[in-house]
Amino acid sequence: MLRRTLLRTLLAAGLASRAAVAQAEPDRCTTVPPAPSYRDWPRVTGPLQRDPAQEALIAKLVTGMTLAQKVGQMTQAEAAHCTPEEARRFYVGSILSGGNDWPAGRTAPPAGWLKVADAYWDASMSTDLPIHVPILYGVDAVHGNQKQFGATLFPHPIGLGATRDACLVERIGAATARQLRVSGLDYTFAPTVAVVEDVRWGRTYEGFSSEPAVVRHLSAALTRGLMGLSGPATSFPGVLTSSKHFLGDGGTDRGLDQGVNSASLQQLIDQHAQGYVATLEAGAQSVMASYSSWVGEPGLPGGKLHGSRYLLTTALKEKMGFDGFVISDYDAIAQLPGCTVTRCAQAINAGVDLFMVPKHWRMFIADTVDLVEKGEVPMSRIDDAVTRILRVKLRAGLFQLPRPSQRAGAGDEAALLARPLAREAVRRSLVLLKNEGGVLPLRRGAKVLVVGKGADSLPMQCGGWSLGWQSTDGTNADFPAGQTVLTAVREAVGPERVTFSEAAQGVDAAAFDAVLAVIGEPPYAEFMGDVAWNPLTRRPPPSGQAARETLELAARHPEDLAALDRVSGKGVPVVTVLLTGRPLYTDRELNRSAAFVVAWWPGTEGGGVADLLFRDAAGAVAHDFQGRLPFPWPRSACQVGTRSPGEPLFPLGYGLSYAKPGKVAALHETPGPASGCTD
Ligand code: BGC
Ligand code: BGC
């Protein structure tokens, strides 16, 4: 009660002070309103209004469809496993290209994607339905259109969380929508609105923050930018989004991907649902169910989210008033007890509307028709699902649009590039943890030794979900429009002043004015990035190397500490830039660095890093640091998140700048437990 009153007072104060500054631009963008406190699922009103003409058309369409045609609409197949001709024959409602699916080839130009998108479109427009229902094509454009070779990639959401800037994030959403249009795509599985509690989770970087208010602020902005919505309307001009993963994916025990969330109902509503309230208010029309489970409460059954009628239907659709569609995650229905990858009455009856059944979609249609014929799924549920899908397609304007290659922006290769915007986002997202003796910014004339495995690696800068799912086997050639930090530094100070030695072997640091070390985490995605061992990796538990199950960078990536050891203590300042998908325990690396910058996974524009590290040509500060930690920074190897006891080393919101320097004392360097974290 007290907490709620306090929050309300804070909220009122925030509103009052914002009014006082007459809605000045920077304030509106970066002031994060406190998250309201909810006792029950709040009723949400979005900008998209019910349109009687649309509803009448939907009713007519649904009445005219056979059961098989309806189930076809409820099906999302993967391009690799469904030809356009099959999509036509089976009335498939949606196509996806998942993490590793490139129907026109991995490095296809936009023309290749457009050909594919046109083929599916034409198929959907040549069925024997009296009124053709256009197909919807979705991909994971989670930090720019990462499926499209040659596209500029933005910082991952964790970096955007460090900016707190909703206006910047909205512009990134709009730029991503343009990139998707170039390739003929109309649906992205973003934003991830997870409130991440345990950073051992391999998807930490896909979320904006551990702080629900930041998640609200930025996920709504990204949704607005992607959908192109700014006020009340009956349709939207941008791309369809999907708020994911509903619900509580960021709060699983031990940070296990697809794990179990033990939150109370009150915590689900008051913390984990915040990003859904905010994105639905912004207009979101699709919500992706989570692979994870909820423990439940007396009277409310727990279990896998895909089977939760209470959460998908009672809470989301009935109480919150969501009238778009719920999509299932990749083959997720197979995980429900009693279900297979193609047959799952539980998920349909729980409220899933569109089924991501990438490979076995044909059998899914047959099985679902059978379930309805046997009375295990009522026809009213099927009609409701199809109604929702058609409503979203109408609101997306699909019924009015020409084939993908003829739409505005299609094939416009210039729109794949958003380099100045991405570079600005990088500059805004970097967090300065340490800068002893004002080492930074460096002089332009400085002789710099660059070391570390991240210095000349676009795959490491881009992280997971970058022209690939895991993105572990990428090369710089995968990102032709990108610039590594090394290239950017050479451009800034002149190539003759820069020496690069990845492992720092056989070079004498003492011969330079400064050392720049770019270290950190190579890419990963989903469960493959979990720190606590996850059986989903299908690898045996790492016996004998349990230390890697902590957040200690020196244990996870000893090569980074080895490089720092070769260059530190030589009387030359070491500036460390950490590329990472999550906060890490970095006491040893901090002690060996005079300055320490967290760059997250910044994407293709290494120039944004160099912008902050060097003075301008006249010797003045060119750009100052503005990023602030979107997560607390761990003081020990097992301080894994917001539920961990003790003070963090640097709190949420921490970040130094040239204008506001600070001192960081020598740290204790206590090694993490060799047996891994206990909880
Ligand atoms: C797909 C991804 C998907 C993953 C699920 C991969 O093969 O390409 O899109 O997220 O499987 O496990
Ligand atoms: C992931 C989703 C993603 C989907 C399609 C799943 O494995 O959990 O976030 O949107 O694959 O690639």
Side-chain angles (χ1 to χ4, degrees), residues 78 96 98-101 140 258 291 330 359 465 469 526-527:
E78 193 159 28
L96 93 144
N100 294 321
D101 178 36
D140 294 280
Q258 310 190 11
Y291 282 118
Y330 204 95
K359 302 182 186 70
W465 295 107
W469 179 43
E526 302 190 39
F527 47 86

Side-chain angles (χ1 to χ4, degrees), residues 52-66 69-70 129-131 133 386-387 390 394:
Q54 281 179 3
E55 296 298 316
L57 175 58
I58 296 166
K60 190 171 149 200
L61 282 162
V62 174
T63 315
M65 282 178 171
T66 65
Q69 289 166 342
K70 291 176 187 174
L129 280 172
I131 301 175
V133 181
V386 177
T387 297
L390 295 176
L394 278 159

Side-chain angles (χ1 to χ4, degrees), residues 96 98-99 140 189 203 206 244-245 288 291 329-330 356 465 469 526:
L96 93 144
D140 294 280
F189 310 126
R203 309 191 77 158
E206 294 189 56
K244 70 186 191 184
H245 306 81
M288 190 184 292
Y291 282 118
D329 205 343
Y330 204 95
M356 195 189 284
W465 295 107
W469 179 43
E526 302 190 39

Side-chain angles (χ1 to χ4, degrees), residues 96 453 472:
L96 93 144
K453 66 177 191 279
T472 31

Side-chain angles (χ1 to χ4, degrees), residues 156-181:
H156 271 289
I158 194 171
L160 301 181
T163 74
R164 313 274 197 287
D165 189 335
C167 302
L168 175 70
V169 170
E170 190 169 334
R171 282 155 65 210
I172 290 176
T176 303
R178 280 194 293 277
Q179 292 179 327
L180 284 162
R181 290 288 196 223

